[in-house]
Amino acid sequence: MSPRTTSFAPRSVADVCEWDFEADVVVVGYGSAGASAAIGAAEAGARVLLFEGASGSGGTSAMAGGDIYLGGGGGTSVQRKNGFEDTTEDFFRYMMMAGGPDADEERVRLYADGALDHFAWLQSVGVPYSDTYLPGKPVMPGTGDCLILSGSEEAWPFSERAKPCPRGHLPKAIGEAGGRVLVDALASHVRALGVEEHFDARATALVVDGARIVGVVVRADGEEKCARAHGGVILCTGGFVLNEEMLREYAPQISRLTDDSLSAGYDDGSGIQLGQSVGGAAIHMDEMFVTLPFYPPQSHVKGILVNERGQRFINEDAYPGRIASYCLRQVGDRFFLLVDNEIFEQPSELSRIEIAAVGETWDEIERALGFVEGTLTSTVEIHNRHAARGEDPLFHKHEKWLKPLDRAPLAALSCHLRETFYPYFTLGGLRARPTGEVQRSDGSVIEGLYAAGRTACGLPRWGEGYSSGMSLGDCTFFGRQAGRAAGERARTA
Amino acid sequence: MSPRTTSFAPRSVADVCEWDFEADVVVVGYGSAGASAAIGAAEAGARVLLFEGASGSGGTSAMAGGDIYLGGGGGTSVQRKNGFEDTTEDFFRYMMMAGGPDADEERVRLYADGALDHFAWLQSVGVPYSDTYLPGKPVMPGTGDCLILSGSEEAWPFSERAKPCPRGHLPKAIGEAGGRVLVDALASHVRALGVEEHFDARATALVVDGARIVGVVVRADGEEKCARAHGGVILCTGGFVLNEEMLREYAPQISRLTDDSLSAGYDDGSGIQLGQSVGGAAIHMDEMFVTLPFYPPQSHVKGILVNERGQRFINEDAYPGRIASYCLRQVGDRFFLLVDNEIFEQPSELSRIEIAAVGETWDEIERALGFVEGTLTSTVEIHNRHAARGEDPLFHKHEKWLKPLDRAPLAALSCHLRETFYPYFTLGGLRARPTGEVQRSDGSVIEGLYAAGRTACGLPRWGEGYSSGMSLGDCTFFGRQAGRAAGERARTA
């Protein structure tokens, strides 16, 4: 796994003595992006080869909740059935805000316009969905329900610019197996379409003919094999959250966190490195989806979060991924959630948050935790004074989560970057057009090379804006787009 | 200048019909890094060609103060003359802290060990230095003095881990022309060594022979010309602060700032893009040197900075570049410097800071500026209470800059990201060994390709740690290293 031991330097076609495989489209990586790419290419009439480093399909997608972020067009069938109307413009605006200062407008537009069709497509390939809505702020519910509020839709500033609507669509699954259900359905369809699958086969180099990509070198059964791709090679090997060297060079803030990442074990950045080896630019490599699920219990959203200086810094009703990103902006690795007796419940195991101090007054807790006198107490006083009026002029938390924290006993729960936060996955990746075509830093396209999923920098590209379901939405939608584009190219090239 | 109009796709050597130029080493870019690279290569006995896009030498280096960050080994002659002893270990530790979570230890070690020799070398090539020390916290002094405190040496947390010492060495120059003096001396030496210079010649592609770089294509006199490099091509074209597309994709936080960058007009990222085009990895591309020179007058360092919520967030005696980086972590684009009558002086033009409110009490100012009641006043109360005892338990400002802000009339001076801050230059660039050898993301070296200055990611790679003189120090020291390495390679290749 160590990147030092491999070199991804491209192979010249002149140095390939023999093609062991030949296909229209070669897909590398078999998570939800790779599966969708293979399907897209096969749908376009291409003969498809799929290489996966693991011994089975699924990748990191299979470890996720399976949530896909969908809406617009008046609403999906599930949104409508549950009384939610969702316009494409609200959906678009939310996705643009979520993409941050470099949101990819072309990509967001395609996705917003195509989301209803995409949902129908997922159902058509066999992903099962119920039609029920689970209210509140569920985190990885695993109840078999479909629709959830999965981001910062109801929170400032998103709520001011896009009408809130739940858009997370979970496959019908009990427990945390939603992602597995999603990928299994895709994989069945991949097989039904006659895609040739090879497991335990890792890509080690791209084969170049001048500036064009014409194939890929894989290592399988202890041997090096060369696969020719007439239409293109599609890189779908996930992100780089397991590659320590890349993390240090691209996202060094990660060193403040635990290594409790969401990965099936292959997010070593190899796809990104293969793309870079032939001139592909990797962008927004400092962005990650880090999260701090400080609830359930949901009542704790009514508490307030402070940094080590006793300062509040965000509306606590925002999505936990956004909150975690703001935590990383603070100096100091420890945070406290302040609650009172009215909202306190035993924290869930998931939240990994612990009681640090209990007292009759905030003054007492301020002293007990060694805060500088007047810091914690002034923060709570300002919060309580406004919360009593249903206001939060400083951080704009929604009225329904506001209450004065004044019913003793009072408590401070503590969480710590290194112990409590989840650095789930990386959001940076190869710069690519919505077709998946990998681009150089100057915007030009590398002929024959495509990327999708977290190997590309897609819809989600800003930790502060991430909402659950955006990554799998991007993987499946733009995976399929890349497959189609490479399949088309095979026909015309 | 638009990156859309050019493609930096590499040229195969098979497609080069004729070499218009031939040399051992070809240097692209004629700022301080390029000049030092050319000298280094010539010193190693190489025949050197130097291409520069502008009509003269200097690049962005010529616009800087000319400061070079040097020390260790007991101190430079100027440090010692002025009573400063500086150990190599203190110098090393400071540089490591300044490099942030991914400081390049090998590079820092070489630099710390070689700094005294480097100073002697700069003098030997004709850079003039006086031997005087200018005390205090000077910002671009232009007094002709040499030694200044040019970073966060005396500020927390740096002061805790490395004994403070002034290390900024300015060339003898009056006004802001120190960088010009530096580059002119280097350029004279370049010419004395017989380096062939070509101006108005911009590199547009690297020439590849398999995985090796064997030359460069330049555009000069409206024609495309090919230059063969037996030892290597050294990219020294500066950073990308003028390339809007790259800024959006790599450092989107820049959109919060003005476009008042420090650039001679050619920091368009072309060198980085050329390196990427052949598989070079660009790292720490989100890091910038942004600064907020809220003083002179130096007495204002005794004021406190608050964000739009009235919260303090840093020790105000840190280097202004570090302070500006912390400002970017805050929500809201406006900041206030709180001062009292004892320390207030008319702000300098450079600082671009303006009086926003004056009052007899902080309460009055809090209301006048529309702060939420209790926010600004509690921040000042906590600060004043401790400052009276010479303490700053929250932000650890040094005692000598602490005083209660209580002598009416009181004032809040306002500064704004878009109007007041200087986004000077980018710190991200090609990953390179200390020899300048450009690396792929997997750590392997691209044969025949070198980078230095802000085209590479060098010593300065973390906005929060930047100190004045680090970039020119890196440009000249590692420019020379790259020149030598490429020169050596020409002899042995």
Side-chain angles (χ1 to χ4, degrees), chain A residues 7-8 245 249 273 276 279 284 309 311-312 329 373 385 394 431 441-442, chain B residues 7-8 245 249 273 276 279 284 309 311-312 329 373 385 394 431 441-442:
Chain A
S7 161
F8 293 104
E245 190 173 13
E249 292 184 335
Q273 292 184 322
Q276 288 176 307
H284 300 302
R309 273 108 183 213
Q311 299 170 320
R312 243 182 113 202
R329 293 178 173 208
E373 188 192 330
R385 182 172 10 114
L394 287 170
R431 180 177 170 178
S441 189
D442 59 27
Chain B
S7 160
F8 292 104
E245 191 173 12
E249 292 183 337
Q273 292 185 322
Q276 288 176 308
H284 300 303
R309 274 108 182 212
Q311 299 170 320
R312 241 182 115 201
R329 292 177 172 211
E373 188 191 331
R385 181 170 14 111
L394 287 170
R431 180 178 169 178
S441 188
D442 59 27

mmCIF file of all heavy atoms in Angstrom, chain A residues 7-8 245 249 273 276 279 284 309 311-312 329 373 385 394 431 441-442, chain B residues 7-8 245 249 273 276 279 284 309 311-312 329 373 385 394 431 441-442:
data_model
loop_
_atom_site.group_PDB
_atom_site.id
_atom_site.type_symbol
_atom_site.label_atom_id
_atom_site.label_comp_id
_atom_site.label_asym_id
_atom_site.label_seq_id
_atom_site.Cartn_x
_atom_site.Cartn_y
_atom_site.Cartn_z
ATOM 1 N N SER A 7 5.654 2.971 -8.677
ATOM 2 C CA SER A 7 5.755 4.173 -9.486
ATOM 3 C C SER A 7 4.661 4.058 -10.534
ATOM 4 O O SER A 7 4.475 3.012 -11.137
ATOM 5 C CB SER A 7 7.117 4.235 -10.160
ATOM 6 O OG SER A 7 7.031 5.128 -11.249
ATOM 7 N N PHE A 8 3.915 5.124 -10.685
ATOM 8 C CA PHE A 8 2.828 5.082 -11.646
ATOM 9 C C PHE A 8 3.220 5.721 -12.976
ATOM 10 O O PHE A 8 2.372 6.161 -13.719
ATOM 11 C CB PHE A 8 1.596 5.770 -11.054
ATOM 12 C CG PHE A 8 1.009 5.024 -9.892
ATOM 13 C CD1 PHE A 8 1.199 5.459 -8.588
ATOM 14 C CD2 PHE A 8 0.271 3.876 -10.106
ATOM 15 C CE1 PHE A 8 0.652 4.764 -7.521
ATOM 16 C CE2 PHE A 8 -0.285 3.168 -9.049
ATOM 17 C CZ PHE A 8 -0.087 3.615 -7.743
ATOM 18 N N GLU A 245 1.101 9.632 2.912
ATOM 19 C CA GLU A 245 1.961 10.610 2.282
ATOM 20 C C GLU A 245 1.124 11.660 1.529
ATOM 21 O O GLU A 245 1.387 12.862 1.616
ATOM 22 C CB GLU A 245 2.920 9.903 1.329
ATOM 23 C CG GLU A 245 3.997 10.812 0.824
ATOM 24 C CD GLU A 245 5.037 10.051 0.010
ATOM 25 O OE1 GLU A 245 4.780 8.880 -0.348
ATOM 26 O OE2 GLU A 245 6.096 10.649 -0.274
ATOM 27 N N GLU A 249 0.724 15.735 2.211
ATOM 28 C CA GLU A 249 1.072 16.721 1.192
ATOM 29 C C GLU A 249 -0.114 17.528 0.683
ATOM 30 O O GLU A 249 0.059 18.623 0.166
ATOM 31 C CB GLU A 249 1.744 16.019 0.022
ATOM 32 C CG GLU A 249 3.095 15.490 0.437
ATOM 33 C CD GLU A 249 3.835 14.868 -0.700
ATOM 34 O OE1 GLU A 249 3.192 14.427 -1.654
ATOM 35 O OE2 GLU A 249 5.064 14.825 -0.614
ATOM 36 N N GLN A 273 -3.225 9.223 -8.699
ATOM 37 C CA GLN A 273 -1.813 9.233 -9.100
ATOM 38 C C GLN A 273 -1.633 8.787 -10.552
ATOM 39 O O GLN A 273 -0.797 9.339 -11.273
ATOM 40 C CB GLN A 273 -1.008 8.345 -8.149
ATOM 41 C CG GLN A 273 -0.937 8.947 -6.744
ATOM 42 C CD GLN A 273 -0.065 8.145 -5.807
ATOM 43 O OE1 GLN A 273 -0.052 6.920 -5.849
ATOM 44 N NE2 GLN A 273 0.658 8.834 -4.949
ATOM 45 N N GLN A 276 -2.565 11.776 -12.557
ATOM 46 C CA GLN A 276 -1.506 12.788 -12.489
ATOM 47 C C GLN A 276 -0.299 12.389 -13.335
ATOM 48 O O GLN A 276 0.378 13.236 -13.895
ATOM 49 C CB GLN A 276 -1.058 12.981 -11.036
ATOM 50 C CG GLN A 276 -2.066 13.714 -10.160
ATOM 51 C CD GLN A 276 -1.588 13.789 -8.715
ATOM 52 O OE1 GLN A 276 -1.246 12.769 -8.102
ATOM 53 N NE2 GLN A 276 -1.544 14.981 -8.156
ATOM 54 N N GLY A 279 -0.433 13.854 -16.645
ATOM 55 C CA GLY A 279 -0.703 15.284 -16.762
ATOM 56 C C GLY A 279 -2.045 15.740 -16.231
ATOM 57 O O GLY A 279 -2.368 16.925 -16.310
ATOM 58 N N HIS A 284 -8.671 20.711 -5.445
ATOM 59 C CA HIS A 284 -9.337 20.723 -4.132
ATOM 60 C C HIS A 284 -8.892 19.549 -3.258
ATOM 61 O O HIS A 284 -9.696 18.977 -2.520
ATOM 62 C CB HIS A 284 -10.857 20.754 -4.297
ATOM 63 C CG HIS A 284 -11.333 21.961 -5.038
ATOM 64 N ND1 HIS A 284 -11.064 23.239 -4.596
ATOM 65 C CD2 HIS A 284 -12.012 22.099 -6.205
ATOM 66 C CE1 HIS A 284 -11.571 24.114 -5.456
ATOM 67 N NE2 HIS A 284 -12.133 23.449 -6.439
ATOM 68 N N ARG A 309 -11.558 28.140 24.057
ATOM 69 C CA ARG A 309 -11.595 29.474 24.654
ATOM 70 C C ARG A 309 -12.995 29.854 25.124
ATOM 71 O O ARG A 309 -13.239 30.993 25.494
ATOM 72 C CB ARG A 309 -11.115 30.507 23.631
ATOM 73 C CG ARG A 309 -9.613 30.668 23.640
ATOM 74 C CD ARG A 309 -8.968 30.081 22.434
ATOM 75 N NE ARG A 309 -7.522 30.195 22.504
ATOM 76 C CZ ARG A 309 -6.756 30.363 21.440
ATOM 77 N NH1 ARG A 309 -7.284 30.440 20.243
ATOM 78 N NH2 ARG A 309 -5.459 30.429 21.585
ATOM 79 N N GLN A 311 -15.590 30.023 23.189
ATOM 80 C CA GLN A 311 -16.290 30.769 22.132
ATOM 81 C C GLN A 311 -17.186 29.842 21.318
ATOM 82 O O GLN A 311 -16.767 28.764 20.917
ATOM 83 C CB GLN A 311 -15.277 31.417 21.183
ATOM 84 C CG GLN A 311 -14.349 32.412 21.844
ATOM 85 C CD GLN A 311 -13.218 32.846 20.907
ATOM 86 O OE1 GLN A 311 -12.660 32.036 20.175
ATOM 87 N NE2 GLN A 311 -12.870 34.131 20.966
ATOM 88 N N ARG A 312 -18.388 30.301 21.040
ATOM 89 C CA ARG A 312 -19.230 29.598 20.073
ATOM 90 C C ARG A 312 -18.710 29.937 18.692
ATOM 91 O O ARG A 312 -18.080 30.976 18.484
ATOM 92 C CB ARG A 312 -20.668 30.105 20.188
ATOM 93 C CG ARG A 312 -21.674 29.056 20.605
ATOM 94 C CD ARG A 312 -23.057 29.675 20.628
ATOM 95 N NE ARG A 312 -23.902 29.107 19.592
ATOM 96 C CZ ARG A 312 -24.971 29.699 19.089
ATOM 97 N NH1 ARG A 312 -25.314 30.918 19.498
ATOM 98 N NH2 ARG A 312 -25.689 29.083 18.176
ATOM 99 N N ARG A 329 -11.294 24.792 11.950
ATOM 100 C CA ARG A 329 -10.833 26.189 11.849
ATOM 101 C C ARG A 329 -10.404 26.748 13.200
ATOM 102 O O ARG A 329 -9.811 27.822 13.274
ATOM 103 C CB ARG A 329 -11.967 27.082 11.360
ATOM 104 C CG ARG A 329 -12.446 26.877 9.955
ATOM 105 C CD ARG A 329 -13.594 27.852 9.770
ATOM 106 N NE ARG A 329 -14.084 27.915 8.416
ATOM 107 C CZ ARG A 329 -14.656 29.001 7.888
ATOM 108 N NH1 ARG A 329 -14.771 30.102 8.616
ATOM 109 N NH2 ARG A 329 -15.100 28.997 6.663
ATOM 110 N N GLU A 373 -11.912 32.857 33.392
ATOM 111 C CA GLU A 373 -13.112 33.423 34.018
ATOM 112 C C GLU A 373 -13.804 34.420 33.087
ATOM 113 O O GLU A 373 -13.184 35.326 32.553
ATOM 114 C CB GLU A 373 -12.713 34.125 35.322
ATOM 115 C CG GLU A 373 -13.903 34.587 36.142
ATOM 116 C CD GLU A 373 -13.490 35.540 37.265
ATOM 117 O OE1 GLU A 373 -12.355 35.410 37.762
ATOM 118 O OE2 GLU A 373 -14.301 36.420 37.622
ATOM 119 N N ARG A 385 -29.856 34.754 26.681
ATOM 120 C CA ARG A 385 -30.652 35.976 26.606
ATOM 121 C C ARG A 385 -31.441 36.024 25.296
ATOM 122 O O ARG A 385 -32.620 36.362 25.262
ATOM 123 C CB ARG A 385 -29.715 37.184 26.731
ATOM 124 C CG ARG A 385 -30.433 38.506 26.721
ATOM 125 C CD ARG A 385 -29.535 39.728 27.038
ATOM 126 N NE ARG A 385 -28.110 39.527 27.081
ATOM 127 C CZ ARG A 385 -27.249 40.074 26.217
ATOM 128 N NH1 ARG A 385 -27.681 40.824 25.210
ATOM 129 N NH2 ARG A 385 -25.949 39.873 26.368
ATOM 130 N N LEU A 394 -26.106 35.906 16.489
ATOM 131 C CA LEU A 394 -24.704 35.667 16.163
ATOM 132 C C LEU A 394 -24.509 34.537 15.175
ATOM 133 O O LEU A 394 -23.677 34.617 14.279
ATOM 134 C CB LEU A 394 -23.915 35.347 17.443
ATOM 135 C CG LEU A 394 -23.644 36.530 18.371
ATOM 136 C CD1 LEU A 394 -23.091 36.031 19.694
ATOM 137 C CD2 LEU A 394 -22.658 37.503 17.720
ATOM 138 N N ARG A 431 -9.281 16.676 -11.898
ATOM 139 C CA ARG A 431 -10.150 17.630 -12.564
ATOM 140 C C ARG A 431 -10.750 16.920 -13.775
ATOM 141 O O ARG A 431 -10.032 16.333 -14.593
ATOM 142 C CB ARG A 431 -9.325 18.819 -13.013
ATOM 143 C CG ARG A 431 -10.143 19.865 -13.729
ATOM 144 C CD ARG A 431 -9.304 21.065 -14.106
ATOM 145 N NE ARG A 431 -10.074 21.924 -14.984
ATOM 146 C CZ ARG A 431 -9.655 23.071 -15.469
ATOM 147 N NH1 ARG A 431 -8.440 23.498 -15.159
ATOM 148 N NH2 ARG A 431 -10.406 23.794 -16.243
ATOM 149 N N SER A 441 -4.250 20.952 -16.058
ATOM 150 C CA SER A 441 -4.463 22.173 -15.297
ATOM 151 C C SER A 441 -4.877 23.329 -16.207
ATOM 152 O O SER A 441 -5.533 24.271 -15.771
ATOM 153 C CB SER A 441 -3.189 22.528 -14.539
ATOM 154 O OG SER A 441 -3.402 23.571 -13.655
ATOM 155 N N ASP A 442 -4.542 23.259 -17.477
ATOM 156 C CA ASP A 442 -4.910 24.338 -18.398
ATOM 157 C C ASP A 442 -6.304 24.121 -18.976
ATOM 158 O O ASP A 442 -6.755 24.883 -19.824
ATOM 159 C CB ASP A 442 -3.866 24.474 -19.511
ATOM 160 C CG ASP A 442 -3.711 23.186 -20.315
ATOM 161 O OD1 ASP A 442 -4.679 22.398 -20.388
ATOM 162 O OD2 ASP A 442 -2.626 22.966 -20.861
ATOM 163 N N SER B 7 -2.361 25.262 -24.318
ATOM 164 C CA SER B 7 -2.323 23.916 -23.788
ATOM 165 C C SER B 7 -0.865 23.601 -23.553
ATOM 166 O O SER B 7 -0.016 23.873 -24.385
ATOM 167 C CB SER B 7 -2.920 22.938 -24.791
ATOM 168 O OG SER B 7 -2.473 21.644 -24.475
ATOM 169 N N PHE B 8 -0.591 23.054 -22.380
ATOM 170 C CA PHE B 8 0.795 22.756 -22.058
ATOM 171 C C PHE B 8 1.113 21.279 -22.281
ATOM 172 O O PHE B 8 2.043 20.753 -21.702
ATOM 173 C CB PHE B 8 1.092 23.169 -20.610
ATOM 174 C CG PHE B 8 1.067 24.652 -20.401
ATOM 175 C CD1 PHE B 8 -0.015 25.278 -19.781
ATOM 176 C CD2 PHE B 8 2.112 25.438 -20.840
ATOM 177 C CE1 PHE B 8 -0.036 26.648 -19.593
ATOM 178 C CE2 PHE B 8 2.107 26.806 -20.649
ATOM 179 C CZ PHE B 8 1.019 27.421 -20.032
ATOM 180 N N GLU B 245 -8.315 30.976 -12.866
ATOM 181 C CA GLU B 245 -8.872 29.625 -12.888
ATOM 182 C C GLU B 245 -8.153 28.727 -11.882
ATOM 183 O O GLU B 245 -8.774 27.972 -11.138
ATOM 184 C CB GLU B 245 -8.746 29.057 -14.304
ATOM 185 C CG GLU B 245 -9.526 27.783 -14.478
ATOM 186 C CD GLU B 245 -9.539 27.333 -15.929
ATOM 187 O OE1 GLU B 245 -8.764 27.879 -16.743
ATOM 188 O OE2 GLU B 245 -10.320 26.421 -16.239
ATOM 189 N N GLU B 249 -9.624 26.863 -8.486
ATOM 190 C CA GLU B 249 -9.574 25.411 -8.314
ATOM 191 C C GLU B 249 -8.663 24.947 -7.189
ATOM 192 O O GLU B 249 -8.828 23.851 -6.674
ATOM 193 C CB GLU B 249 -9.113 24.768 -9.625
ATOM 194 C CG GLU B 249 -10.174 24.941 -10.683
ATOM 195 C CD GLU B 249 -9.821 24.269 -11.982
ATOM 196 O OE1 GLU B 249 -8.622 24.045 -12.219
ATOM 197 O OE2 GLU B 249 -10.739 23.970 -12.741
ATOM 198 N N GLN B 273 2.009 24.313 -14.414
ATOM 199 C CA GLN B 273 1.232 23.555 -15.396
ATOM 200 C C GLN B 273 2.133 22.724 -16.312
ATOM 201 O O GLN B 273 1.786 21.599 -16.681
ATOM 202 C CB GLN B 273 0.367 24.514 -16.214
ATOM 203 C CG GLN B 273 -0.734 25.132 -15.354
ATOM 204 C CD GLN B 273 -1.696 25.988 -16.136
ATOM 205 O OE1 GLN B 273 -1.295 26.697 -17.062
ATOM 206 N NE2 GLN B 273 -2.960 25.949 -15.781
ATOM 207 N N GLN B 276 3.043 19.744 -14.276
ATOM 208 C CA GLN B 276 1.902 18.831 -14.173
ATOM 209 C C GLN B 276 1.676 18.073 -15.473
ATOM 210 O O GLN B 276 1.249 16.924 -15.471
ATOM 211 C CB GLN B 276 0.629 19.612 -13.831
ATOM 212 C CG GLN B 276 0.577 20.128 -12.394
ATOM 213 C CD GLN B 276 -0.666 20.964 -12.149
ATOM 214 O OE1 GLN B 276 -0.954 21.897 -12.899
ATOM 215 N NE2 GLN B 276 -1.421 20.632 -11.117
ATOM 216 N N GLY B 279 3.327 14.854 -15.446
ATOM 217 C CA GLY B 279 3.111 13.981 -14.297
ATOM 218 C C GLY B 279 3.614 14.516 -12.972
ATOM 219 O O GLY B 279 3.503 13.839 -11.950
ATOM 220 N N HIS B 284 0.183 21.388 -1.745
ATOM 221 C CA HIS B 284 -0.131 22.547 -0.888
ATOM 222 C C HIS B 284 -0.605 23.746 -1.710
ATOM 223 O O HIS B 284 -0.272 24.899 -1.409
ATOM 224 C CB HIS B 284 1.057 22.916 0.002
ATOM 225 C CG HIS B 284 1.454 21.794 0.912
ATOM 226 N ND1 HIS B 284 0.581 21.221 1.803
ATOM 227 C CD2 HIS B 284 2.602 21.074 1.029
ATOM 228 C CE1 HIS B 284 1.170 20.233 2.446
ATOM 229 N NE2 HIS B 284 2.398 20.110 1.989
ATOM 230 N N ARG B 309 -18.100 39.014 15.236
ATOM 231 C CA ARG B 309 -18.877 38.630 16.426
ATOM 232 C C ARG B 309 -18.264 39.179 17.702
ATOM 233 O O ARG B 309 -18.661 38.813 18.790
ATOM 234 C CB ARG B 309 -18.950 37.111 16.517
ATOM 235 C CG ARG B 309 -20.080 36.532 15.730
ATOM 236 C CD ARG B 309 -19.590 35.819 14.513
ATOM 237 N NE ARG B 309 -20.691 35.298 13.734
ATOM 238 C CZ ARG B 309 -20.636 34.188 13.017
ATOM 239 N NH1 ARG B 309 -19.552 33.477 12.999
ATOM 240 N NH2 ARG B 309 -21.674 33.816 12.328
ATOM 241 N N GLN B 311 -15.280 38.552 18.762
ATOM 242 C CA GLN B 311 -14.371 37.574 19.367
ATOM 243 C C GLN B 311 -12.926 37.847 18.964
ATOM 244 O O GLN B 311 -12.637 38.088 17.798
ATOM 245 C CB GLN B 311 -14.730 36.156 18.897
ATOM 246 C CG GLN B 311 -16.126 35.710 19.281
ATOM 247 C CD GLN B 311 -16.518 34.409 18.588
ATOM 248 O OE1 GLN B 311 -16.212 34.199 17.420
ATOM 249 N NE2 GLN B 311 -17.219 33.546 19.301
ATOM 250 N N ARG B 312 -12.038 37.768 19.940
ATOM 251 C CA ARG B 312 -10.610 37.775 19.634
ATOM 252 C C ARG B 312 -10.234 36.404 19.090
ATOM 253 O O ARG B 312 -10.928 35.418 19.371
ATOM 254 C CB ARG B 312 -9.813 38.021 20.911
ATOM 255 C CG ARG B 312 -8.958 39.277 20.886
ATOM 256 C CD ARG B 312 -8.185 39.372 22.192
ATOM 257 N NE ARG B 312 -6.756 39.256 21.954
ATOM 258 C CZ ARG B 312 -5.886 38.902 22.886
ATOM 259 N NH1 ARG B 312 -6.281 38.586 24.103
ATOM 260 N NH2 ARG B 312 -4.600 38.847 22.581
ATOM 261 N N ARG B 329 -9.821 32.265 8.606
ATOM 262 C CA ARG B 329 -10.546 31.185 9.284
ATOM 263 C C ARG B 329 -11.859 31.665 9.881
ATOM 264 O O ARG B 329 -12.670 30.858 10.325
ATOM 265 C CB ARG B 329 -9.718 30.659 10.470
ATOM 266 C CG ARG B 329 -8.459 29.926 10.154
ATOM 267 C CD ARG B 329 -7.820 29.593 11.484
ATOM 268 N NE ARG B 329 -6.680 28.718 11.384
ATOM 269 C CZ ARG B 329 -6.329 27.842 12.336
ATOM 270 N NH1 ARG B 329 -7.046 27.759 13.448
ATOM 271 N NH2 ARG B 329 -5.288 27.076 12.199
ATOM 272 N N GLU B 373 -25.090 42.945 21.961
ATOM 273 C CA GLU B 373 -24.797 43.442 23.310
ATOM 274 C C GLU B 373 -24.041 42.395 24.137
ATOM 275 O O GLU B 373 -24.463 41.245 24.222
ATOM 276 C CB GLU B 373 -26.110 43.805 24.013
ATOM 277 C CG GLU B 373 -25.887 44.508 25.347
ATOM 278 C CD GLU B 373 -27.194 44.616 26.150
ATOM 279 O OE1 GLU B 373 -28.266 44.684 25.522
ATOM 280 O OE2 GLU B 373 -27.122 44.582 27.395
ATOM 281 N N ARG B 385 -8.650 42.852 32.010
ATOM 282 C CA ARG B 385 -8.431 42.299 33.350
ATOM 283 C C ARG B 385 -7.080 41.583 33.421
ATOM 284 O O ARG B 385 -6.316 41.741 34.361
ATOM 285 C CB ARG B 385 -9.590 41.348 33.689
ATOM 286 C CG ARG B 385 -9.490 40.738 35.063
ATOM 287 C CD ARG B 385 -10.752 39.969 35.518
ATOM 288 N NE ARG B 385 -11.736 39.648 34.514
ATOM 289 C CZ ARG B 385 -11.990 38.408 34.075
ATOM 290 N NH1 ARG B 385 -11.273 37.379 34.511
ATOM 291 N NH2 ARG B 385 -12.951 38.195 33.189
ATOM 292 N N LEU B 394 -5.520 33.574 27.143
ATOM 293 C CA LEU B 394 -6.258 33.032 25.995
ATOM 294 C C LEU B 394 -5.410 32.949 24.739
ATOM 295 O O LEU B 394 -5.500 31.993 23.978
ATOM 296 C CB LEU B 394 -7.493 33.884 25.714
ATOM 297 C CG LEU B 394 -8.637 33.745 26.718
ATOM 298 C CD1 LEU B 394 -9.681 34.820 26.466
ATOM 299 C CD2 LEU B 394 -9.263 32.358 26.623
ATOM 300 N N ARG B 431 5.888 19.431 -6.451
ATOM 301 C CA ARG B 431 6.612 18.657 -5.459
ATOM 302 C C ARG B 431 8.011 18.419 -6.001
ATOM 303 O O ARG B 431 8.185 17.973 -7.140
ATOM 304 C CB ARG B 431 5.892 17.332 -5.252
ATOM 305 C CG ARG B 431 6.563 16.453 -4.235
ATOM 306 C CD ARG B 431 5.790 15.160 -4.019
ATOM 307 N NE ARG B 431 6.601 14.254 -3.232
ATOM 308 C CZ ARG B 431 6.210 13.051 -2.830
ATOM 309 N NH1 ARG B 431 5.011 12.625 -3.144
ATOM 310 N NH2 ARG B 431 7.001 12.291 -2.125
ATOM 311 N N SER B 441 3.363 12.165 -7.839
ATOM 312 C CA SER B 441 2.654 12.024 -6.576
ATOM 313 C C SER B 441 3.134 10.805 -5.803
ATOM 314 O O SER B 441 3.029 10.747 -4.581
ATOM 315 C CB SER B 441 1.156 11.923 -6.852
ATOM 316 O OG SER B 441 0.429 11.971 -5.670
ATOM 317 N N ASP B 442 3.683 9.812 -6.491
ATOM 318 C CA ASP B 442 4.167 8.619 -5.790
ATOM 319 C C ASP B 442 5.605 8.779 -5.290
ATOM 320 O O ASP B 442 6.186 7.836 -4.749
ATOM 321 C CB ASP B 442 4.054 7.382 -6.695
ATOM 322 C CG ASP B 442 4.845 7.531 -7.988
ATOM 323 O OD1 ASP B 442 5.842 8.289 -7.993
ATOM 324 O OD2 ASP B 442 4.471 6.921 -8.990
#
